[in-house]
Amino acid sequence: MSDKTLIDLSWDDFDEHRDPRSNENQFDTVVEKAISRRGFLGGALAFGSGAAVFGTGLFSSTTLAQAAGHEKFAFEPIDIATDFEVHVPAGYAHDILVRWGDPLWSEANGAYSAETGVSVAMSDKVFGENTDGMELFDVDGKEVIAVNSEYVNPKINLPADSEGTPQSADEVTLLKNLQGVTVMEIARGDAGYQVVVDSPLNRRITHETQMVLSGPLAGHALVQTHADPEGMTVKGTMNNCGSGRTLWDTYLTCEENFNGYFGATGAEPTGESYSRYGIGGEGRYAYELFDPRYDISVEPNEPHRHGFVTEINPADPTSTPVKRTALGRFKHENAEMVHAKDGRVVVYMGDDERGEYLYKFVSNGVWEVGTDGGALLDDGTLFVAKFNDDMTGEWLPLTPETTGMEAAEILCFTRMAASAAGGTTMDRPEWVAANPLKVEAYCALTNNKNRGVSPNAGGDDTSVNAPNPRETNNYGQIVRWTPADENHASDSFGWDLYVMAGNPTIYDNAYAGSDNINPGNMFNSPDGMAFDSQGMLWIQTDGDYKNEGDFAGMGNNQMLVGDPESGEIIRFMTVPNGAEVTGLCWNLDKTVAFVGVQHPAGSWPDGNGKPRSSVVAVWREDGAVIG
Ligand code: FEO
Ligand code: CA
Ligand code: CA
Ligand code: CA
């Protein structure tokens, strides 16, 4: 396969191209299970532990919600869309806050060209491409957003004759600079919210920004390189997907598909520690041809220095970002931090790959309100989730005793530790969101075409299981759990499925979805999630937008709002065809929501030239609180 087609693959298909999965699952067993349940479930296939999966109130939720008459929803649901526009409910308005290529400093005014994009000289002075997770901070009364730029589309950013592959070190630098993180002050004026160009708080963090490693893996032989023989400093945070915020108001950026940036020009290291993470062969952007740091035949340990949760202080543009190794190394989606009842800090984290795991970190120390808790993130225990069929679950600690691995190895090769400990393989864990009004948390399991078909990259069985009950799951579901003793730090929980997406206009079995899915709110592939201060769950999708076949009636990607109590879910927003909706935060008075639109197609939002990933501001025309 040429580089041209390689770059056209989605990030999840990229891995399977490099490391094809064999159909090693005991397929006969899966079919047997499915058939044995068919009678019980009246035709539903591969339904896991069956109806027991659906928790309190879910099947009766529609009725309850209808009786409530949308009480908790301050808008009328909108229809699907298939066009190249953003749509919000009647009585709401929206505008662009910032687009890829917009200046953060006045020297970059006019840096973006509709024909050629952004030059390498200006590439670290503008808003990056493919916006993702974001959080808004109050910095001495100023509103500051920290926001990820997950990846770049090289066909949009490089000259047409390059066919999407960098031809020079300069072109690699251009791509490196348009990814990472942007910190930017915003302010509300007559024309609504705008970026404060030249604010001293503005900052770009790229694949080349100097950072430090902290936690038990820092200094270990596994993270030592030619440039950093001590294994303590590292350049860059990459493939910044979801986000999180600490209790002490710093930003957490989560490194997801970091593996795709590394390649080999010569003999490459082999073994499960590379194959499990999809590291090897050609890099997605040919970085390795122009920068030996990304060449694993030269620097086999460099990939061990990425795939972490990185902490950034948005209030201090001179601060050094810190890679928190104690939170483990995997394809981090987001990092949802909560203050447990016993005072410890808990961080929930998904590993977004088919058949990988859901994790949490629990600090050893307790956090005191008003203090900087950064050091708490260097000292604690990682756990992997195990979901039982009886709707209970356990957090299994990842320790030398449970994994047979050394403590530092557990943090570097966390996936292998989770397999050894016996976690439950999941349908691509994306964002985790914790309810601010109740001790419970939710994880979007976006989809998994390999469920019941082939194992994960470590060869772990991915037959249907209770929280992932459908084989070839193209729709996704959201699992939620309630920690024992109302303590997020406790080691057991009860769980149910909040929603199982599906298409009731096509199916009358498990693929129709749960009872809170109907022809009016259908969606697929839940991904981003955040709770607002009212305890409502905002759900963003990154799914199939063909609007045909299994996905007929679902339209473009969308953002919905769910009521955790009734189960009711209604559609708030649709984004342009081609785009996913990802990243959500609110301004300080919660009258404006900022929503990320990633990888739009057509020429949105300018109406001419290239499509530009953007952050959109959404508000109620009467100025009421919306979050
Ligand atoms: Fe970058 Fe799993 O989404
Ligand atoms: Ca995502
Ligand atoms: Ca996704
Ligand atoms: Ca994405």
Side-chain angles (χ1 to χ4, degrees):
M1 184 177 278
S2 73
D3 283 339
K4 187 182 172 196
T5 41
L6 203 61
I7 204 64
D8 290 332
L9 295 173
S10 70
W11 285 91
D12 40 314
D13 287 339
F14 177 76
D15 285 327
E16 298 218 12
H17 160 69
R18 293 211 298 198
D19 179 24
R21 313 278 198 272
S22 60
N23 288 1
E24 281 170 7
N25 265 355
Q26 294 171 331
F27 196 72
D28 290 348
T29 313
V30 174
V31 173
E32 204 176 286
K33 271 192 198 169
I35 289 171
S36 69
R37 291 194 182 104
R38 197 172 288 163
F40 176 58
L41 289 165
L45 278 173
F47 214 100
S49 60
V53 169
F54 298 97
T56 43
L58 197 146
F59 271 113
S60 57
S61 60
T62 313
T63 327
L64 286 174
Q66 281 163 352
H70 298 315
E71 233 167 44
K72 293 188 180 175
F73 299 96
F75 62 95
E76 287 301 316
I78 65 168
D79 211 345
I80 62 163
T82 56
D83 60 8
F84 291 83
E85 303 293 335
V86 165
H87 297 279
V88 294
Y92 286 72
H94 65 91
D95 197 5
I96 301 291
L97 173 70
V98 64
R99 302 161 292 189
W100 155 56
D102 281 346
L104 298 171
W105 293 276
S106 48
E107 65 186 293
N109 284 341
Y112 172 80
S113 151
E115 288 73 41
T116 57
V118 177
S119 68
V120 63
M122 290 294 133
S123 55
D124 60 353
K125 299 174 177 63
V126 297
F127 187 64
E129 210 198 354
N130 287 323
T131 186
D132 209 309
M134 59 182 155
E135 308 287 338
L136 185 138
F137 299 90
D138 178 351
V139 179
D140 300 326
K142 294 179 163 56
E143 292 181 290
V144 175
I145 287 180
V147 49
N148 295 337
S149 283
E150 185 181 29
Y151 71 102
V152 275
N153 184 336
K155 286 185 173 173
I156 290 177
N157 285 283
L158 299 177
D161 59 6
S162 73
E163 296 187 331
T165 302
Q167 304 296 315
S168 68
D170 262 4
E171 290 186 354
V172 167
T173 300
L174 171 78
L175 299 186
K176 286 177 175 174
N177 283 348
L178 289 170
Q179 304 173 69
V181 178
T182 297
V183 182
M184 58 190 184
E185 183 184 345
I186 61 167
R188 183 153 43 182
D190 293 342
Y193 270 101
Q194 312 246 295
V195 173
V196 180
V197 173
D198 294 325
S199 165
L201 291 164
N202 291 353
R203 183 179 192 186
R204 280 301 320 282
I205 291 165
T206 72
H207 289 184
E208 292 300 302
T209 302
Q210 193 66 56
M211 316 200 163
V212 294
L213 287 165
S214 76
L217 188 56
H220 192 276
L222 282 167
V223 293
Q224 295 170 355
T225 63
H226 289 99
D228 176 28
E230 304 294 317
M232 295 301 289
T233 61
V234 57
K235 281 184 175 178
T237 179
M238 59 188 69
N239 212 267
N240 306 82
C241 183
S243 59
R245 61 186 308 140
T246 62
L247 300 164
W248 46 96
D249 280 338
T250 56
Y251 184 64
L252 298 175
T253 186
C254 302
E255 300 168 6
E256 191 187 24
N257 292 294
F258 67 96
N259 59 312
Y261 297 87
F262 298 93
T265 62
E268 56 183 271
T270 55
E272 195 192 349
S273 65
Y274 292 90
S275 63
R276 182 66 183 271
Y277 286 84
I279 296 162
E282 290 174 85
R284 195 173 169 96
Y285 296 131
Y287 280 14
E288 72 273 16
L289 301 183
F290 299 98
D291 183 346
R293 184 159 74 91
Y294 294 85
D295 183 350
I296 58 170
S297 50
V298 176
E299 288 291 2
N301 285 346
E302 186 66 25
H304 298 158
R305 296 144 60 86
H306 304 276
F308 294 111
V309 173
T310 293
E311 184 180 8
I312 295 168
N313 181 358
D316 179 4
T318 67
S319 59
T320 303
V322 182
K323 295 203 177 202
R324 298 290 182 190
T325 66
L327 276 59
R329 173 174 167 268
F330 46 88
K331 292 185 179 178
H332 279 281
E333 182 69 22
N334 84 322
E336 179 74 336
M337 181 181 287
V338 289
H339 196 197
K341 189 166 114 181
D342 64 13
R344 290 184 285 171
V345 168
V346 172
V347 187
Y348 290 114
M349 302 171 288
D351 181 354
D352 179 10
E353 188 173 306
R354 298 176 184 117
E356 289 295 340
Y357 299 104
L358 174 66
Y359 296 89
K360 78 169 177 181
F361 168 86
V362 181
S363 66
N364 285 333
V366 300
W367 180 68
E368 302 291 346
V369 175
T371 61
D372 173 359
L376 294 171
L377 298 181
D378 292 337
D379 179 23
T381 304
L382 261 185
F383 296 80
V384 64
K386 179 170 187 282
F387 291 83
N388 301 319
D389 286 0
D390 65 359
M391 302 184 69
T392 65
E394 300 147 62
W395 291 104
L396 307 175
L398 303 181
T399 66
E401 293 70 37
T402 63
T403 64
M405 296 164 68
E406 290 174 14
E409 289 177 328
I410 291 168
L411 300 181
C412 196
F413 308 120
T414 307
R415 288 179 163 183
M416 290 148 67
S419 292
T424 299
T425 63
M426 306 299 282
D427 287 347
R428 297 185 56 199
E430 300 251 28
W431 289 61
V432 177
N435 189 337
L437 305 185
K438 195 173 177 181
V439 183
E440 64 176 15
Y442 295 60
C443 180
L445 302 167
T446 196
N447 57 52
N448 183 358
K449 69 179 184 186
N450 289 346
R451 175 63 63 186
V453 176
S454 56
N456 71 9
D460 297 318
D461 179 80
T462 65
S463 302
V464 292
N465 58 40
N468 307 277
R470 294 174 296 184
E471 66 180 62
T472 318
N473 172 19
N474 291 323
Y475 291 135
Q477 65 270 10
I478 296 174
V479 65
R480 70 174 162 191
W481 57 97
T482 302
D485 305 323
E486 299 192 322
N487 183 0
H488 281 291
S490 67
D491 57 10
S492 62
F493 56 90
W495 67 271
D496 69 357
L497 292 181
Y498 172 65
V499 64
M500 201 163 67
N503 195 327
T505 67
I506 293 178
Y507 292 105
D508 62 359
N509 55 20
Y511 297 88
S514 48
D515 256 14
N516 51 348
I517 291 297
N518 56 64
N521 71 357
M522 290 191 296
F523 63 92
N524 73 89
S525 307
D527 185 337
M529 287 196 303
F531 271 96
D532 65 24
S533 60
Q534 311 301 308
M536 298 295 274
L537 179 64
W538 296 65
I539 303 163
Q540 305 178 315
T541 73
D542 170 22
D544 192 303
Y545 47 83
K546 282 196 303 286
N547 199 39
E548 60 185 37
D550 275 4
F551 308 99
M554 296 181 178
N556 292 346
N557 279 303
Q558 50 188 287
M559 183 162 72
L560 308 102
V561 184
D563 179 353
E565 300 305 323
S566 69
E568 188 182 14
I569 297 170
I570 65 177
R571 186 180 299 115
F572 178 83
M573 181 175 181
T574 60
V575 297
N577 189 261
E580 68 170 278
V581 50
T582 181
L584 173 63
C585 62
W586 287 269
N587 69 338
L588 289 178
D589 68 18
K590 309 229 184 274
T591 57
V592 179
F594 300 105
V595 186
V597 177
Q598 191 189 77
H599 58 77
S603 54
W604 185 86
D606 295 350
N608 62 75
K610 299 167 184 283
R612 299 173 76 181
S613 167
S614 303
V615 176
V616 176
V618 184
W619 64 94
R620 245 172 78 151
E621 286 167 339
D622 66 4
V625 167
I626 63 167

